Amino acid sequence: MTTRQKDYLQATKTALGANTWDELAEMAGVAPRALKTYRMPEGSGDYRTMPRPMQKVFEMLLAEHKKNKVK
């Protein structure tokens, strides 16, 4: 991921139209607490790198959203 993880997640939340972080977590099937650790500043002790399978989930959600928008 070339974009900072925090920025990527913010852009994903906006693109998918999620009103809250909890809503985005539900869309992705991840615990809200886990999503919060992915959004932390990289220097934070609570920061966690998002696992590749989780990145794939967001990529799939974005692709599906884009596909549905085109219809």
Side-chain angles (χ1 to χ4, degrees), residues 15-32:
L16 294 176
N19 293 313
T20 65
W21 288 107
D22 286 352
E23 187 177 338
L24 182 63
E26 185 176 329
M27 291 171 142
V30 64

Side-chain angles (χ1 to χ4, degrees), residues 10-64:
Q10 180 63 57
T12 299
K13 178 179 174 275
T14 300
L16 294 176
N19 293 313
T20 65
W21 288 107
D22 286 352
E23 187 177 338
L24 182 63
E26 185 176 329
M27 291 171 142
V30 64
R33 177 70 182 132
L35 185 60
K36 185 175 183 177
T37 65
Y38 304 150
R39 295 185 293 116
M40 293 286 190
E42 291 181 24
S44 169
D46 289 331
Y47 172 84
R48 298 292 178 264
T49 299
M50 190 167 33
R52 184 69 185 133
M54 190 76 255
Q55 291 175 27
K56 289 297 240 180
V57 168
F58 285 117
E59 290 169 11
M60 289 178 3
L61 286 170
L62 288 166
E64 186 65 27

